[in-house]
Amino acid sequence: MRLALTGRNLTITPALRQVVTTRLEKLDRLLHGSIISAQVALQVQKDRVNADVRVTTRGDHDLSGHGQAPTARAAVTAAIAKVEHQAEKVKGKLEARKRRPAVAKDAVEAVVVEAPRVRRAAVRGEQEAVSARVIRVRRPSAKPMLLEDALPRLDAAPGSVVVFRDAALDRLQVLVRRADGHVGLVDADA
């Protein structure tokens, strides 16, 4: 990050340079190191100090802030705080665009259905209906693997299922453990 620190009617002390550098390093961490350059201009007018901060980042984002206070340190802090607020807004937009969930919202819908079986209470002899939540996924994600690799992933319990994309055939397939202990292969793309 290149830093241009200028003072009009003001001398830049090492302590003031340290304050500016520290705050800009914090801003650079917030933006994941994407700051290319920063220009900070301090100007004294009568009894107040004006601070103008302009930060250029990768992706053609120019962030700028203006601070005004009785001291140079407070003016710089106020100006950089405004730039930090802008940076958080830009970062939030970028993350919202990049970091979508693995399955899009429109690809999953939850449906509550009544289960076909009825659970009986052993002590009372009463019957109660069981409702199950069914998640319907329009776009299943299946790991590409060979049939030989998918077989060890299948549990020994009857009814266990493994969904995979056959790497050799490039088709979606399902392995089901049958009640008799054998394995059934369902070709979903057929």
Side-chain angles (χ1 to χ4, degrees):
M1 169 179 60
R2 289 176 302 186
L3 173 62
L5 183 60
T6 58
R8 298 183 189 115
N9 303 330
L10 176 75
T11 56
I12 306 297
T13 62
L16 185 59
R17 181 177 293 277
Q18 181 65 33
V19 168
V20 171
T21 305
T22 304
R23 293 297 301 251
L24 287 175
E25 285 173 353
K26 179 183 174 189
L27 180 65
D28 196 28
R29 284 192 305 272
L30 177 72
L31 292 172
H32 302 295
S34 66
I35 294 180
I36 297 171
S37 66
Q39 296 89 26
V40 179
L42 296 165
Q43 181 178 11
V44 175
Q45 293 179 342
K46 293 186 182 178
D47 60 346
R48 64 181 182 261
V49 178
N50 294 330
D52 292 313
V53 177
R54 182 181 170 118
V55 175
T56 305
T57 64
R58 280 182 276 159
D60 294 330
H61 294 291
D62 289 331
L63 311 173
S64 62
H66 177 75
Q68 191 173 23
T71 63
R73 182 182 187 131
V76 166
T77 303
I80 293 179
K82 291 179 183 177
V83 173
E84 285 175 351
H85 180 69
Q86 293 173 16
E88 288 173 359
K89 196 171 185 179
V90 168
K91 181 181 174 183
K93 287 181 181 180
L94 289 175
E95 286 182 352
R97 189 172 19 184
K98 284 183 180 177
R99 307 206 187 258
R100 293 197 174 106
V103 177
K105 291 179 183 176
D106 60 345
V108 175
E109 60 186 54
V111 181
V112 177
V113 297
E114 290 296 321
R117 58 191 162 97
V118 175
R119 188 185 325 165
R120 295 187 180 147
V123 178
R124 292 182 245 131
E126 300 174 356
Q127 294 182 355
E128 62 179 85
V130 178
S131 63
R133 184 174 165 184
V134 177
I135 308 286
R136 182 175 293 141
V137 180
R138 293 186 193 132
R139 193 174 25 134
S141 61
K143 183 177 179 182
M145 62 178 77
L146 295 173
L147 179 61
E148 294 80 24
D149 298 331
L151 280 171
R153 294 176 183 254
L154 191 64
D155 290 337
S160 60
V161 176
V162 172
V163 178
F164 70 100
R165 181 164 293 280
D166 194 339
L169 302 174
D170 195 34
R171 295 196 317 210
L172 191 66
Q173 295 191 334
V174 180
L175 286 177
V176 180
R177 176 73 66 182
R178 298 172 27 157
D180 60 2
H182 292 85
V183 175
L185 177 64
V186 180
D187 193 358
D189 287 343

